[in-house]
């Protein structure tokens, strides 16, 4: 400042950027034990540090511009389920919060053992994968599922009763649980083995030829 007595000494003033503002996050959800690439849009985002929920961490190095953050979020297997929030902080302050839903892990089927059966028979199968708690099996209409037991989050056992009219060849089997429907695995249906009921005549003589039916 300046008066009739002269100019004063100088004191520093710090000019801060505007506080960050978040407008959207895509996608806004992730599943336990999975990673998800997220894009956060907003303003004044340069220099942002993310504040994340328990069980969610940043993988790799985020790419940050003034209007966008691209980041991969790793959701731990034990991350609490629900709808926590995410904010960012810069020298200008802390942003508003956006919600990020943490879901159970997706339903995945990795194998079915055995992976084949015969028309008109029943076969006990074991379906293996993850996220199978509370799941049911989706099978063709010509297969009836009985004795289905969810042994654990990674295994289902069941009995497949295969109709005599079931279509031959590969059939898709999926599992549906609280968090969606799995990928498909293949279960092959084959024809029944041939069965001989009679042969006539049923005898022959050494050194001769005998036509038989």
């Amino acid at each position: 400042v300046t008066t009739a007595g002269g100019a004063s000494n100088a004191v520093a003033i710090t000019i801060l950027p505007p506080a960050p503002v978040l407008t959207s996050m895509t996608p806004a959800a992730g599943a336990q034990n999975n990673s998800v690439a997220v894009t956060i849009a907003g303003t004044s985002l340069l220099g942002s540090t993310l504040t994340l929920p328990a069980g969610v961490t940043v993988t790799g190095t985020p790419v940050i511009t003034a209007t966008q953050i691209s980041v991969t979020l790793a959701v731990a297997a034990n991350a609490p389920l629900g709808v926590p929030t995410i904010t960012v902080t810069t020298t200008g302050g802390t942003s508003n919060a956006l919600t990020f839903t943490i879901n159970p892990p997706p339903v995945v089927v990795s194998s079915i053992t055995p992976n084949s059966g015969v028309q008109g028979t029943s076969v006990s199968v074991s379906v293996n994968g993850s996220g199978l708690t509370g799941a049911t099996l989706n099978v063709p209409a010509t297969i009836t599922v009985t004795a289905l037991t969810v042994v654990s989050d990674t295994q289902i056992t069941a009995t497949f009763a295969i109709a005599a009219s079931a279509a031959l060849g590969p059939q898709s089997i999926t599992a549906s649980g609280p968090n969606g429907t799995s990928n498909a695995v293949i279960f092959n249906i084959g024809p029944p083995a041939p069965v001989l009921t009679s042969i006539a005549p049923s005898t022959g003589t050494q050194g001769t030829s005998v036509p038989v039916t």
Side-chain angles (χ1 to χ4, degrees):
V1 296
T2 300
T3 69
S8 74
N9 61 303
V11 292
I13 182 172
T14 301
I15 300 176
L16 298 175
V21 175
L22 303 182
T23 56
S24 67
M25 178 164 44
T26 308
Q32 290 172 322
N33 202 32
N34 280 266
S35 292
V36 57
V38 169
T39 299
I40 300 171
T43 57
S44 304
L45 302 181
L46 280 175
S48 290
T49 300
L50 283 83
T51 302
L52 301 172
V56 179
T57 56
V58 171
T59 299
T61 302
V63 177
I64 302 174
T65 69
T67 58
Q68 182 174 289
I69 301 173
S70 298
V71 62
T72 298
L73 301 180
V75 183
N78 61 351
L81 299 174
V83 189
T85 59
I86 290 176
T87 61
V88 301
T89 300
T90 68
T91 53
T94 298
S95 73
N96 57 300
L98 295 179
T99 58
F100 181 79
T101 303
I102 298 177
N103 294 314
V107 184
V108 176
V109 173
S110 56
S111 66
I112 182 171
T113 306
N115 64 355
S116 63
V118 174
Q119 288 173 321
T121 66
S122 293
V123 57
S124 296
V125 299
S126 174
V127 176
N128 302 299
S130 60
L132 300 179
T133 299
T136 58
L137 297 177
N138 306 307
V139 300
T142 51
I143 297 178
T144 301
V145 177
T146 60
L148 186 147
T149 302
V150 178
V151 178
S152 68
D153 194 61
T154 60
Q155 184 183 45
I156 293 174
T157 60
T159 298
F160 285 0
I162 306 168
S165 59
L168 298 174
Q171 309 294 320
S172 293
I173 308 295
T174 62
S176 293
N179 200 38
T181 297
S182 74
N183 57 296
V185 291
I186 296 301
F187 183 80
N188 291 287
I189 298 177
V195 177
L196 302 180
T197 57
S198 66
I199 184 170
S202 60
T203 60
T205 303
Q206 288 176 324
T208 65
S209 295
V210 180
V212 296
T213 301

